[in-house]
Amino acid sequence: MKSLLLLSILAAFAGAVLCYESHESLESYEISPFLNRRNANSFISPQNIWRAKVQERIRERSKPAHEINREACEDFKLCERYAMVYGYNAAYNRYFRRRRGSN
């Protein structure tokens, strides 16, 4: 009888320990961590959006020459393959510099 009592107390203790749900195991207390498409950008103010667009336009206008050359080379498949071996500067000179000089 003593062993049955001891076994039941041990089983109750094991059940309490194993079935305890702590709040630390939950990743978030929110109902849903995802936002729908309409509310996705609601936390960004319109002024910040405008400022970001202006900065992007300024960056596009003031690109260095080597970056413009690299983008031109990336659009042409043969130039891009040549650039993988010899570099973008050599590839741009081979495929685009000659064309400008011959006209």
Side-chain angles (χ1 to χ4, degrees), residues 27-57:
E27 289 183 16
S28 176
Y29 294 109
E30 299 173 1
I31 295 172
S32 175
F34 301 105
L35 298 172
N36 62 16
R37 290 181 182 178
R38 285 189 182 163
N39 297 334
N41 289 330
S42 62
F43 57 91
I44 299 175
S45 69
Q47 183 180 9
N48 288 342
I49 293 172
W50 179 80
R51 186 178 298 145
K53 286 181 182 179
V54 169
Q55 288 175 352
E56 181 65 26
R57 288 190 182 127

Side-chain angles (χ1 to χ4, degrees), residues 25-100:
S25 65
L26 300 175
E27 289 183 16
S28 176
Y29 294 109
E30 299 173 1
I31 295 172
S32 175
F34 301 105
L35 298 172
N36 62 16
R37 290 181 182 178
R38 285 189 182 163
N39 297 334
N41 289 330
S42 62
F43 57 91
I44 299 175
S45 69
Q47 183 180 9
N48 288 342
I49 293 172
W50 179 80
R51 186 178 298 145
K53 286 181 182 179
V54 169
Q55 288 175 352
E56 181 65 26
R57 288 190 182 127
I58 290 171
R59 273 188 238 117
E60 286 291 326
R61 287 184 189 161
S62 62
K63 279 187 181 177
H66 68 278
E67 189 172 344
I68 294 170
N69 295 348
R70 183 177 179 149
E71 288 178 358
C73 192
E74 286 175 347
D75 292 338
F76 188 53
K77 201 63 157 172
L78 291 175
C79 183
E80 187 177 10
R81 288 183 187 163
Y82 192 86
M84 293 297 171
V85 178
Y86 299 104
Y88 279 100
N89 194 22
Y92 182 82
N93 288 337
R94 177 182 171 124
Y95 288 101
F96 293 104
R97 291 273 186 215
R98 236 183 327 163
R99 292 181 186 173
R100 285 188 183 169

